[in-house]
Amino acid sequence: MKSVDVYRQYFKADCTFNEVPRRGALVTLTAESDAGTIKYTAGVSFFPHVDDEDYAVAYDAYCERELFFGKGRRTKKRDAEYLELLQTVIDEEAEKIGGRVFWDEPLREAQMG
């Protein structure tokens, strides 16, 4: 299965998970395709971000939601449709583990794939 990060960006965040304070979050929208099927997944991983150089993503404070799985292929229209939903979905998933992403405080520029 071919996997592409449609969108990937680091933000300031707030989350305490497994008794470790997390101050950064990596937000992704991933598309996976294989044999005529496509799957879109939104994900967020909270990490400590102890200084400006710390982007070490932790894998224990991670949430994701499958947005779509079915026949088809990746298109710009689908990418845009799921990017539009991304903040709402990530906020809902992050809330489940007590996390919050500060959307107006990016740590790096967005990467589009």
Side-chain angles (χ1 to χ4, degrees), residues 65-110:
R65 183 187 302 174
E66 186 177 287
L67 303 176
F68 177 82
F69 180 79
K71 291 205 175 282
R73 60 187 176 87
R74 182 178 170 207
T75 64
K76 287 183 181 182
K77 182 179 177 182
R78 278 192 176 161
D79 287 1
E81 178 183 330
Y82 295 118
L83 272 171
E84 193 173 306
L85 298 173
L86 190 62
Q87 284 189 13
T88 302
V89 170
I90 293 301
D91 286 345
E92 291 170 357
E93 291 301 308
E95 187 178 325
K96 293 177 183 177
I97 63 167
R100 180 171 172 222
V101 175
F102 300 114
W103 297 103
D104 57 343
E105 297 185 58
L107 295 172
R108 289 195 173 174
E109 295 296 316

Side-chain angles (χ1 to χ4, degrees), residues 56-68:
V57 175
Y59 294 98
D60 61 343
Y62 179 77
C63 303
E64 73 177 10
R65 183 187 302 174
E66 186 177 287
L67 303 176
F68 177 82

Side-chain angles (χ1 to χ4, degrees), residues 1-111:
M1 190 171 267
K2 183 179 176 189
S3 181
V4 174
D5 281 334
V6 175
Y7 170 87
R8 176 183 178 96
Q9 189 167 11
Y10 292 89
F11 292 91
K12 286 188 177 179
D14 183 41
C15 181
T16 299
F17 193 83
N18 285 337
E19 299 178 14
V20 177
R22 317 298 170 109
R23 300 295 172 246
L26 172 60
V27 174
T28 58
L29 174 64
T30 305
E32 295 179 54
S33 61
D34 188 41
T37 61
I38 184 81
K39 177 170 84 168
Y40 281 89
T41 307
V44 61
S45 180
F46 292 94
F47 60 99
H49 193 61
V50 293
D51 62 48
D52 289 342
E53 300 299 317
D54 178 20
Y55 290 91
V57 175
Y59 294 98
D60 61 343
Y62 179 77
C63 303
E64 73 177 10
R65 183 187 302 174
E66 186 177 287
L67 303 176
F68 177 82
F69 180 79
K71 291 205 175 282
R73 60 187 176 87
R74 182 178 170 207
T75 64
K76 287 183 181 182
K77 182 179 177 182
R78 278 192 176 161
D79 287 1
E81 178 183 330
Y82 295 118
L83 272 171
E84 193 173 306
L85 298 173
L86 190 62
Q87 284 189 13
T88 302
V89 170
I90 293 301
D91 286 345
E92 291 170 357
E93 291 301 308
E95 187 178 325
K96 293 177 183 177
I97 63 167
R100 180 171 172 222
V101 175
F102 300 114
W103 297 103
D104 57 343
E105 297 185 58
L107 295 172
R108 289 195 173 174
E109 295 296 316
Q111 297 172 325

